Amino acid sequence: MHVRTVTHLNFNGNARAALAFYHQLFGGQQVLVSYAQAGRSQEAIDPQHVIWGQVSDTEGNALLMAYDVQAGVDWHPGQRAFFVSLRGDDEDTVRALWAGLADGGDVLQALTASQWSPLYGMVRDRFGVTWVVDVQAPRSPQ
């Protein structure tokens, strides 16, 4: 079982440009999924904004993740600038870690399947830290 944390950056319309910059800087692979591609255009300020993006090293290990906040979500530079992403490759372990983070916290999005992961959810732990938790699924570079 492999579990690790990855910084998940939050943007207001420039996640695509930021991920391109980090991809050019770090090399490796880049994957982008727009709100439109995920079938969730109604949630976005612009359907082509990034709902999920990642820059990985040459072995496919995530270096950082990013997205553009949804329409109606208050965002200012330096506020809600990042989440901590907890990624694993074993569903049972991820479920157990999720339960621990959710104990005394607030579930922001239930742990369920998504377009990019067999399990994905968001939880704010009892200390106010927002965690994006998922089972890492292989993705094709874009």
Side-chain angles (χ1 to χ4, degrees):
M1 169 58 202
H2 182 74
V3 174
R4 61 194 216 124
T5 61
V6 175
T7 302
H8 186 290
L9 304 172
N10 303 332
F11 295 97
N12 193 20
N14 59 347
R16 186 178 304 274
L19 287 164
F21 168 76
Y22 296 127
H23 179 234
Q24 181 180 16
L25 181 67
F26 296 120
Q29 302 171 357
Q30 174 182 286
V31 178
L32 299 171
V33 178
S34 71
Y35 280 86
Q37 289 170 314
R40 295 168 66 176
S41 295
Q42 74 283 0
E43 297 175 25
I45 295 167
D46 177 333
Q48 295 310 308
H49 281 179
V50 175
I51 193 171
W52 182 81
Q54 170 176 290
V55 173
S56 303
D57 63 19
T58 56
E59 283 101 42
N61 300 306
L63 298 173
L64 59 88
M65 299 166 65
Y67 94 124
D68 290 307
V69 298
Q70 299 90 334
V73 171
D74 194 27
W75 184 92
H76 302 283
Q79 296 177 359
R80 294 190 208 177
F82 67 91
F83 299 142
V84 179
S85 174
L86 176 68
R87 309 195 86 192
D89 57 10
D90 177 78
E91 289 188 24
D92 292 335
T93 301
V94 168
R95 285 181 196 278
L97 292 168
W98 169 267
L101 290 168
D103 185 24
D106 296 309
V107 173
L108 304 175
Q109 184 169 331
L111 188 65
T112 61
S114 73
Q115 290 91 349
W116 54 86
S117 174
L119 284 177
Y120 170 86
M122 291 179 68
V123 62
R124 184 177 305 113
D125 71 19
R126 66 181 78 178
F127 301 104
V129 176
T130 299
W131 294 82
V132 177
V133 179
D134 71 343
V135 172
Q136 186 169 353
R139 299 287 302 184
S140 300
Q142 189 170 340

